[in-house]
Amino acid sequence: MTTTTDRPAVADEHADAHVDVAALTEQLLGQYADLRREARAVVGTPEFQKIEGLAMAEHRERILHQLRELVAHHDVLRAFPTRLGGADDHGGSLARFEELVAGDPSLQIKAGVQWGLFASAILHLGTEHHHDTFLPAAMSIEVPGAFAMTETGHGSDVSAIGTTAEYDRETQEFVVHTPFRAAWKDYLGNAALHGTAAVVFAQLVTAPEGAPRVNHGVHAFYVPLRDPATGEFLPGVGGEDDGLKGGLNGIDNGRLHFDHVRVPRTNLLNRYGDVAPDGTYSSPIASPGRRFFTMLGTLVQGRVSLDGAAVNASKLALAIAVTYAGQRRQFVAEGPDETVLLDYQRHQRRLLPLVAEAYAATFAHEELLAAFDEVFSGRGDTPEGREDLETLAAALKPASTWGAMRTIQECREACGGAGYLAENRLVGLHQDLDVYVTFEGDNTVLHQLVGKRLLTEYGRALKAGGAGDVARAAAERAVHRTPLIRAVQTISDVGDARRSAGQLRDEETQRELLTDRVEVMVAELAMALRTASKLSPAEAAALVNAHQHELIEAARAHAERVQWEAFTRGVHATTDPGTKRVLTWLRDLFGLALVEQHLAWYLVNGRLSAGRARTVSSYLDRLLVRLRPHAQDLVDAFGYGPEHLRAPIASGDEAARQDEARAHFRAQRVAGREPVPEKHAR
Amino acid sequence: MTTTTDRPAVADEHADAHVDVAALTEQLLGQYADLRREARAVVGTPEFQKIEGLAMAEHRERILHQLRELVAHHDVLRAFPTRLGGADDHGGSLARFEELVAGDPSLQIKAGVQWGLFASAILHLGTEHHHDTFLPAAMSIEVPGAFAMTETGHGSDVSAIGTTAEYDRETQEFVVHTPFRAAWKDYLGNAALHGTAAVVFAQLVTAPEGAPRVNHGVHAFYVPLRDPATGEFLPGVGGEDDGLKGGLNGIDNGRLHFDHVRVPRTNLLNRYGDVAPDGTYSSPIASPGRRFFTMLGTLVQGRVSLDGAAVNASKLALAIAVTYAGQRRQFVAEGPDETVLLDYQRHQRRLLPLVAEAYAATFAHEELLAAFDEVFSGRGDTPEGREDLETLAAALKPASTWGAMRTIQECREACGGAGYLAENRLVGLHQDLDVYVTFEGDNTVLHQLVGKRLLTEYGRALKAGGAGDVARAAAERAVHRTPLIRAVQTISDVGDARRSAGQLRDEETQRELLTDRVEVMVAELAMALRTASKLSPAEAAALVNAHQHELIEAARAHAERVQWEAFTRGVHATTDPGTKRVLTWLRDLFGLALVEQHLAWYLVNGRLSAGRARTVSSYLDRLLVRLRPHAQDLVDAFGYGPEHLRAPIASGDEAARQDEARAHFRAQRVAGREPVPEKHAR
């Protein structure tokens, strides 16, 4: 094997390139490899494999049963306190749960509802009394629970929910109440059927004697819903089934409403706000706004795990479609055999950039998970650390969930009619993953949060930097401060910033192109919005709204760059030289596909000349050709077995059918039984 | 009302702008307005409305029943000969069928299988004997039939199917046989359950006595499948169910195989090729290649009707999402009320360009339908006319079906969690329409056909034009010859081709930008491929493959331009000045969204300067603001009633819930019962 150098000749590059699949699989499994492998082993058993087309009612029961099996026989309570039978292992717990998606996404999300939302709210928003009283039954699913935050009228804007919980000094109870139809809780897993309790978010209203009634904003309350024996709603509680959904039909989503339902004062999950018996409100966080966002912030793990699960779904789809594309043949281009789909340039164009994106998202997710564990373990639990974590999750969850939708759909189309059959999994994955882009933080709303954070950081940097090369420094800070990007080197100034074609594969060039774009977009936005504070509220709102699209695009550019940086660190961490070579090409493909996609920006902003811009696509085409021989290895390295893919088209059946057909024609020729084609008969 | 002039001041434009919804509806319904209205009335009745979540078996029976109802009580046999009870109305018949999608896409496609494929094959590939013998029962659904062309091993490459039909002189029968597993017929509607006969495509092999056996290529045969009384397969016939699909589960798709199944010689549908009793083959078309494509060409109506149905599905989704977006509120920007979703810039950006695209696709489809009727009525049935029709269908079907997928998905996401509920229709539409992009001609394969046609036309023009300004003339011809674009004016030469921002709204500027792009792409491709004929087959194949992506992109650019031209003709045909104003903005939005999407191309190729390119997006943003007040009118003009939309979120429920909530808070204030927000209590 040739020794790799920084810039070997092209011929050497090709000779050198190979993928050590086992080692790469290990690298992709990451810091929680053992837990992931264990979880994959569980969901690879028939008991946990999704049955496509199961009727909704049966599917719901099956998922509940699977959940109970998980808790009875498998290590799924790692996130909970050691004293209650958990392991205080937040990152490892999420890693495990992300792998459930390979069994059935409904199982992943139902587990998320039960442990990630319902029990986690008790853990993170409650205190010792709640941990002792409610957590064990929530952990064991003795009490299946709903997370009753969203209402029909308010999803993204949680602060505006209509449900109230007013304190009654007389009885020392909270009265949970739904004042109008729009305030019905909605889309809640476990609400339609299984939930016997819920954590209900409501506006906390209280008043000590003689004082005015004050609304202290949204707080969480533990509220029993149903009689566990009969399954009937308790007095004052009502609801209805959300019915069939686009997917995830193993989860019983539903609506809830409350008619003056009374719960003990101590059912307020009181970590961030409490009410004394006399009705006096107290909180460790003085600002109602900051308190609200602190409470919501504990829910970041939902976004973190969706990011991981979405990447896994993309990988499953790619493993199916790339395997099929490497066997399926259609049309004779030349020679006796028909052409393998993956040898068509367009097919490579369709699938390989998505493989690259899945790698980028995998590495980025691994870093997100580490950041999450840092904060939730307490090792790095600072306000800054939390804010960075939330921004990172808000950047990556949209990127990976939208990525999964694009990836799964492209895979489905790349498999033609076979891709439309439920047995080949792709349509089911699309249906199940669809809602990932709008729940647990609508992607568009999350990207706005990221955009605003980038602007805030820019503003801070501007203040701190004073005059001089402020814009530059500020932009740097704005995009470099979030955890993934801190390590980045200072980017050298490059005069007219026009690149030569050869430079495109240079890591620093790619970094600079992707970074520049975020920096300039944020700086331009800040410039455009700088007068907002001097305007009337209406004018300011109009000004901000007139730049909403750019704000979201800036956030997207940031997320793409974060993924690229993580991928690059992943490449650096790869030790086998041949694998490193292939991964470098794949990273280049990821980077240059982004540059191609945003090429107009680079041209308009003078980062690439027209001549150089033309070379982006052709260099990308060359990368496809280089990567083609490694495509199967790259998806095999995702580490999924037939028990996870479960798609007949990715099973080898297709190749076997072709062998049989070829053997038939060969036998005909040998036997002289082959009819003459008409055009040769003349 | 102000009088419209060619270029009124902006203030006048706004004052003038309004939509005459009734008149616009009529225009969109087009040449077959009455038939479309009648069909919509039928599918708006409960009997024909899709029941989301119906179990597959029930859904299949329901669709078969609906089909029988259609034939018993409604005018659905227009495409068939008058002498057999039809109306010889090809265009009108398709228009009717396209409207079925509003009831249940499964019904549209099952009708397509029965009448558009099975019975149509008898009509178009058979002769009088077949019309008399098989057509009445196929028309009446006494015989539900499969269209057995695609095999597991061959979909797009029909010429390579493995099924054989060998003529036996002794018995004067054809022996239909499946030689290996890959040659099983697959994905066929009516094959799993209902079909009692099929039109089977097979390699026709025959030999007069003493002559060598010759394969005359793919021909169609009428083959009985099942005993109508018992539903059992006839001897030699076998098959299996394709099972659950991503959607369209009201259709019983399945597989078929044949073990030396004998049918009479006269069951060969012999319009384009016949076998005499002694085994002699004859055909009115000498070239086997041209014969094959002529036979396949009769199937163009499938693509035409999918184009229309896909546009209708987009319109349904947009009517739901835009209506909801105009009522749903979330987050307070300023003032007492929360902001209506459609007032957010990003929400406008997400939905309004898709409304524009639906208009473009509607006008383009109307012209495609006219071209189809011209050919199939016999009025314009020339080889050139057929070729143009096929190219146009191959350009538009991918554009509208991919457009439908993007549109429906964006609509679903724009409706958040509510969009994921089956009751709101969007997920069901996505699931059902998904396969439209890969069946009846895979979109990628169709766009390659278009690309090749553009190259052929370019080559012809080059030969015809001789020297001089050949490239220009050739490119013109290449893109202008297909029916939609013939009327276009010669485009003036524009020196350095850099445009001012104000010009972007100029029709000729948009035309030139869109046209230039196709012309140059085709000319560059031709240049890149010019050496192919001098290369070895392997080298030539590699060269062509290295430009496959560009070829497909050129076809896409062509399709977009065809849609833009049709939209522009639609605008010109609009008589009401206010409506014309709004439609002009919408057409501008369509055109400029395309320019924005391909902005890099315009920059690289010097069609727009960097400075001008920057103005594209901002002008687009201004168009969104202008169109916002007309959004509801524009989707109302699609002409769908609540019986077609059937989505609770588009029913007015959302606005009613908000009114109730507002009334609640108002009553609280009036009664002095409103709690003080914590931040005001301090």
Side-chain angles (χ1 to χ4, degrees), chain B residues 222-261:
Chain B
Y222 187 92
V223 181
L225 294 179
R226 287 183 172 90
D227 180 337
T230 65
E232 295 298 309
F233 277 128
L234 296 172
V237 182
E240 62 186 31
D241 199 321
D242 275 326
L244 197 75
K245 304 185 298 294
L248 295 183
N249 282 304
I251 304 163
D252 56 324
N253 294 81
R255 307 180 176 114
L256 293 174
H257 51 84
F258 304 94
D259 182 7
H260 300 92
V261 171

Side-chain angles (χ1 to χ4, degrees), chain A residues 522-577:
Chain A
V522 172
E524 285 185 348
L525 261 172
M527 185 66 80
L529 300 178
R530 72 192 183 287
T531 57
S533 59
K534 290 158 199 150
L535 300 175
S536 72
E539 288 168 333
L543 179 66
V544 170
N545 191 40
H547 294 277
Q548 190 189 25
H549 176 65
E550 294 160 37
L551 183 76
I552 291 167
E553 290 303 305
R556 188 156 76 97
H558 171 71
E560 290 166 349
R561 203 212 134 184
V562 167
Q563 289 184 323
W564 183 91
E565 290 285 357
F567 197 163
T568 297
R569 277 189 288 275
V571 171
H572 290 182
T574 305
T575 48
D576 174 65

Side-chain angles (χ1 to χ4, degrees), chain B residues 3-145:
Chain B
T3 315
T4 37
T5 65
D6 277 339
R7 178 100 340 145
V10 170
D12 283 347
E13 283 187 4
H14 287 262
D16 186 35
H18 78 273
V19 176
D20 180 338
V21 174
L24 184 53
T25 300
E26 201 60 28
Q27 189 184 357
L28 294 177
L29 286 171
Q31 62 204 308
Y32 300 106
D34 289 341
L35 288 171
R36 288 190 191 274
R37 255 191 301 268
E38 213 182 300
R40 288 187 185 186
V42 172
V43 298
T45 59
E47 187 181 352
F48 288 97
Q49 292 171 354
K50 182 179 178 190
I51 299 172
E52 301 289 343
L54 205 58
M56 187 172 79
E58 289 169 71
H59 194 184
R60 287 171 168 186
E61 291 312 310
R62 186 165 193 257
I63 293 291
L64 180 64
H65 172 76
Q66 288 174 343
L67 223 60
R68 296 198 192 282
E69 287 297 303
L70 279 184
V71 78
H73 303 298
H74 303 288
D75 170 34
V76 290
L77 300 172
R78 303 187 65 81
F80 296 98
T82 310
R83 72 174 178 96
L84 295 172
D88 287 307
D89 177 8
H90 298 272
S93 175
L94 283 202
R96 271 203 74 110
F97 281 109
E98 291 161 8
E99 299 296 333
L100 296 182
V101 83
D104 185 339
S106 284
L107 177 61
Q108 188 230 330
I109 298 303
K110 181 99 167 178
V113 168
Q114 179 68 22
W115 293 308
L117 293 173
F118 173 64
S120 272
I122 299 170
L123 177 64
H124 294 299
L125 302 179
T127 51
E128 203 171 339
H129 162 70
H130 308 104
H131 299 169
D132 293 343
T133 314
F134 302 125
L135 212 40
M139 288 165 66
S140 71
I141 328 184
E142 186 189 324
V143 175

Side-chain angles (χ1 to χ4, degrees), chain A residues 123-127 130 268-273 284 298 381 386:
Chain A
L123 176 65
H124 294 299
L125 301 179
T127 50
H130 308 104
L268 166 63
L269 300 178
N270 63 349
R271 177 166 170 194
Y272 296 111
T298 60
D381 188 2
R386 290 209 168 234

Side-chain angles (χ1 to χ4, degrees), chain A residues 152 154-155 213 215-216 246 291 328 338 343 345-346 420 431 545 548-549 605 614 673 676 678, chain B residues 152 154 213 215-216 246 291 328 338 343 345-346 420 431 545 548-549 605 614 673 676 678:
Chain A
T152 304
H154 289 95
R213 292 161 62 241
N215 181 349
H216 291 280
R291 185 192 314 142
R328 175 75 173 181
E338 295 165 301
D343 286 334
Q345 185 196 43
R346 180 70 169 201
Y420 196 56
Q431 290 167 13
N545 191 40
Q548 190 189 25
H549 176 65
N605 290 277
R614 272 179 185 275
R673 285 277 312 154
V676 186
E678 181 180 323
Chain B
T152 303
H154 288 94
R213 292 161 62 243
N215 180 349
H216 291 280
R291 185 191 315 139
R328 174 76 172 180
E338 293 165 302
D343 286 335
Q345 185 196 43
R346 180 70 169 201
Y420 196 56
Q431 291 166 14
N545 191 39
Q548 190 189 25
H549 176 66
N605 290 278
R614 273 180 183 274
R673 284 278 310 154
V676 186
E678 180 180 324

Side-chain angles (χ1 to χ4, degrees), chain A residues 62-361:
Chain A
R62 185 165 193 260
I63 292 291
L64 180 63
H65 172 76
Q66 288 174 345
L67 224 60
R68 294 198 193 282
E69 287 298 303
L70 280 184
V71 77
H73 303 296
H74 303 289
D75 169 36
V76 291
L77 301 173
R78 302 187 63 81
F80 295 98
T82 310
R83 71 172 178 97
L84 295 173
D88 287 307
D89 176 8
H90 298 273
S93 175
L94 283 202
R96 270 202 77 110
F97 280 110
E98 292 162 7
E99 298 296 332
L100 297 181
V101 82
D104 184 339
S106 284
L107 178 61
Q108 187 230 331
I109 298 302
K110 182 98 166 180
V113 168
Q114 180 66 25
W115 293 305
L117 293 172
F118 172 64
S120 272
I122 298 170
L123 176 65
H124 294 299
L125 301 179
T127 50
E128 203 171 338
H129 163 69
H130 308 104
H131 300 169
D132 294 341
T133 315
F134 303 125
L135 212 42
M139 287 165 66
S140 71
I141 328 185
E142 185 190 324
V143 174
F147 183 78
M149 178 183 271
T150 294
E151 297 176 354
T152 304
H154 289 95
S156 294
D157 187 5
V158 175
S159 70
I161 57 170
T163 304
T164 52
E166 180 146 8
Y167 184 62
D168 180 347
R169 284 194 314 275
E170 300 297 312
T171 60
Q172 301 203 7
E173 290 170 321
F174 282 102
V175 183
V176 178
H177 185 63
T178 308
F180 40 77
R181 175 61 187 82
W184 281 27
K185 297 296 177 182
D186 208 344
Y187 315 114
L188 320 176
N190 273 337
L193 274 181
H194 300 140
T196 56
V199 169
V200 177
F201 289 79
Q203 307 284 352
L204 188 161
V205 178
T206 185
E209 192 159 4
R213 292 161 62 241
V214 172
N215 181 349
H216 291 280
V218 175
H219 288 66
F221 302 81
Y222 186 93
V223 181
L225 293 180
R226 288 183 171 89
D227 180 337
T230 65
E232 295 297 310
F233 277 127
L234 297 172
V237 181
E240 62 186 29
D241 199 321
D242 275 328
L244 196 76
K245 304 185 296 295
L248 294 184
N249 281 304
I251 304 162
D252 56 324
N253 295 80
R255 306 180 178 114
L256 294 174
H257 50 84
F258 304 93
D259 183 7
H260 299 93
V261 172
R262 289 175 170 266
V263 296
R265 180 184 66 90
T266 51
N267 277 26
L268 166 63
L269 300 178
N270 63 349
R271 177 166 170 194
Y272 296 111
D274 202 4
V275 170
D278 72 349
T280 306
Y281 180 83
S282 63
S283 168
I285 304 175
S287 152
R290 202 157 64 73
R291 185 192 314 142
F292 172 71
F293 285 111
T294 302
M295 284 196 253
L296 289 200
T298 60
L299 308 170
V300 72
Q301 68 183 350
R303 289 171 193 167
V304 175
S305 68
L306 292 186
D307 180 55
V311 180
N312 287 342
S314 289
K315 288 189 285 195
L316 287 165
L318 286 165
I320 292 168
V322 169
T323 301
Y324 183 64
Q327 295 179 10
R328 175 75 173 181
R329 293 168 183 271
Q330 203 77 180
F331 291 108
V332 175
E334 59 90 27
D337 275 333
E338 295 165 301
T339 304
V340 170
L341 292 193
L342 202 51
D343 286 334
Y344 286 111
Q345 185 196 43
R346 180 70 169 201
H347 219 79
Q348 295 165 7
R349 268 259 179 191
R350 294 170 76 174
L351 294 181
L352 298 186
L354 296 172
V355 173
E357 191 178 331
Y359 269 78

